[in-house]
Amino acid sequence: MSSVLKIRFQDGSSTPPIRVVCPGFELREWRASALVQDLFDRHLLSFALNYTELEAVNDESAASSLRKAAQSVYGTQKYQRRGEFGELILHAILRDFYGAQPAVSKIYFKDGPNETVKGFDSVHIVENGDSGEIELWLGEVKFYSSLTAGIRDVTAEIAAHLSANFLRSEFVAVTNKLDSTWAHSARVKELLDENASLDEITESLVVPILLTYDSSTLSSHEAVSDEYLQGLKEEAATAIKSISEKLKIDLRIRVEVILLPLKDKKRLVNLFHQKLQIWKNI
């Protein structure tokens, strides 16, 4: 089953490279409900469960597994400010468009349902099919309605997160949470060995950035058209210019920018909330 999200624009030659994904429209409406349904149908379990739990899901346990996943994601009434929705979207995009596999569910970094997780927002690997080598993808998400605010905050956060002390701390947290039954667990531990130089580790490190925002292009269109695509391209150009000016990091670390323009973030959050409420009570 293909993703509801589609790549509407991409530029691999920009610094950093960028992709714009959007579900488009149906009968003049932005496909918010279809996006939420797709995320829950195809990605909630792999987002919220560890490898052993996911492998154990069968016809008999599917309903209880969905309930557990929903309860893990949604443990508070303060859903308007929660970041898990953005993390779920990034997880889905990395799986669908980059062939990534989750190394650790960020849900497992929490000690309680109301505790937010400090650090990177996703931990995935991408395997090179030719060489068999793996890349560690440590993602950042700003599930915002303002692109300007998202760029401001994510560039500052990445600069802090790519410091030596922070990376070492994050690597320890990741290796401690790896599921030993996962096929790539030993390889990730070897990559992140505490005696390895960060110069070596960062050669295999990729930082995907997901930024959401209420888009003026979407607010003025009701169907996919050349004008709609041109509007998204212009928004992407503005974003890359701002990110390249503000991102003060060693560019040997690969950064991938992903934009998800929204018609109305508040409505999307409410749809997430409604779906979680249903699935919590399955």
Side-chain angles (χ1 to χ4, degrees), residues 47 81-94 106 117 119-124 138-144 146 149-151 153-155 157-158 161 207-213 256 258-260 262 265:
F47 172 71
R81 296 195 300 272
R82 302 298 290 182
E84 287 90 344
F85 298 150
E87 292 167 10
L88 173 59
I89 295 170
L90 176 59
H91 168 74
I93 290 171
L94 292 181
K106 292 296 286 186
V117 181
F120 290 98
D121 294 322
S122 68
V123 184
H124 290 71
L138 298 177
E140 297 279 7
V141 180
K142 291 304 169 199
F143 186 49
Y144 284 12
S146 167
I151 291 171
D153 290 352
V154 81
T155 51
E157 199 165 89
I158 286 175
H161 286 182
V207 180
I209 300 171
L210 172 63
L211 298 170
T212 73
Y213 61 99
E256 297 273 347
I258 306 160
L259 300 185
L260 173 57
L262 308 176
K265 183 202 167 186

Side-chain angles (χ1 to χ4, degrees):
M1 184 184 298
S2 62
S3 173
V4 168
L5 289 170
K6 306 298 179 187
I7 298 173
R8 305 298 179 177
F9 172 75
Q10 58 185 334
D11 185 354
S13 64
S14 65
T15 305
I18 189 168
R19 286 184 177 181
V20 181
V21 298
C22 181
F25 304 87
E26 185 172 76
L27 301 177
R28 298 185 176 181
E29 293 289 336
W30 190 65
R31 302 182 71 199
S33 296
L35 173 58
V36 171
Q37 187 70 46
D38 184 48
L39 291 169
F40 278 73
D41 285 350
R42 299 195 302 114
H43 295 293
L44 180 63
L45 288 177
S46 61
F47 172 71
L49 304 182
N50 67 22
Y51 179 79
T52 298
E53 291 172 327
L54 188 61
E55 287 295 294
V57 175
N58 54 39
D59 290 344
E60 294 182 357
S61 65
S64 61
S65 296
L66 286 170
R67 182 170 59 250
K68 178 178 181 180
Q71 290 171 340
S72 297
V73 173
Y74 181 67
T76 174
Q77 288 295 323
K78 298 178 180 178
Y79 65 92
Q80 292 283 357
R81 296 195 300 272
R82 302 298 290 182
E84 287 90 344
F85 298 150
E87 292 167 10
L88 173 59
I89 295 170
L90 176 59
H91 168 74
I93 290 171
L94 292 181
R95 290 189 72 201
D96 286 342
F97 299 110
Y98 296 89
Q101 302 177 45
V104 174
S105 166
K106 292 296 286 186
I107 301 299
Y108 281 81
F109 278 73
K110 295 185 177 186
D111 294 321
N114 292 321
E115 182 182 349
T116 56
V117 181
K118 305 301 182 184
F120 290 98
D121 294 322
S122 68
V123 184
H124 290 71
I125 67 156
V126 172
E127 188 173 13
N128 187 313
D130 296 326
S131 67
E133 296 179 351
I134 61 172
E135 296 175 333
L136 182 67
W137 287 51
L138 298 177
E140 297 279 7
V141 180
K142 291 304 169 199
F143 186 49
Y144 284 12
S145 57
S146 167
L147 183 57
T148 300
I151 291 171
R152 178 198 65 213
D153 290 352
V154 81
T155 51
E157 199 165 89
I158 286 175
H161 286 182
L162 292 180
S163 68
N165 288 340
F166 190 94
L167 283 175
R168 289 293 188 190
S169 176
E170 188 79 352
F171 294 162
V172 169
V174 168
T175 54
N176 286 342
K177 297 292 185 179
L178 288 169
D179 188 326
S180 61
T181 66
W182 182 46
H184 300 289
S185 180
R187 297 169 71 189
V188 174
K189 287 183 178 180
E190 181 181 1
L191 173 65
L192 302 181
D193 187 282
E194 63 181 357
N195 290 323
S197 167
L198 285 176
D199 291 345
E200 298 173 6
I201 296 174
T202 54
E203 289 180 359
S204 300
L205 179 61
V206 181
V207 180
I209 300 171
L210 172 63
L211 298 170
T212 73
Y213 61 99
D214 286 345
S215 164
S216 59
T217 297
L218 291 186
S219 67
S220 59
H221 289 83
E222 296 179 336
V224 174
S225 64
D226 290 343
E227 292 78 10
Y228 151 85
L229 295 175
Q230 180 61 32
L232 294 184
K233 181 178 179 179
E234 291 172 1
E235 290 177 353
T238 299
I240 283 298
K241 183 176 185 297
S242 179
I243 291 170
S244 62
E245 290 172 351
K246 292 181 171 62
L247 194 59
K248 308 299 183 184
I249 64 168
D250 185 343
L251 291 179
R252 288 180 299 176
I253 296 175
R254 199 165 101 232
V255 174
E256 297 273 347
V257 177
I258 306 160
L259 300 185
L260 173 57
L262 308 176
K263 187 69 173 282
D264 182 347
K265 183 202 167 186
K266 288 183 179 179
R267 178 169 180 262
L268 187 63
V269 168
N270 286 332
L271 288 170
F272 273 120
H273 166 62
Q274 292 166 17
K275 185 66 69 176
L276 278 174
Q277 285 290 76
I278 293 170
W279 285 35
K280 278 177 60 183
N281 298 313
I282 291 175

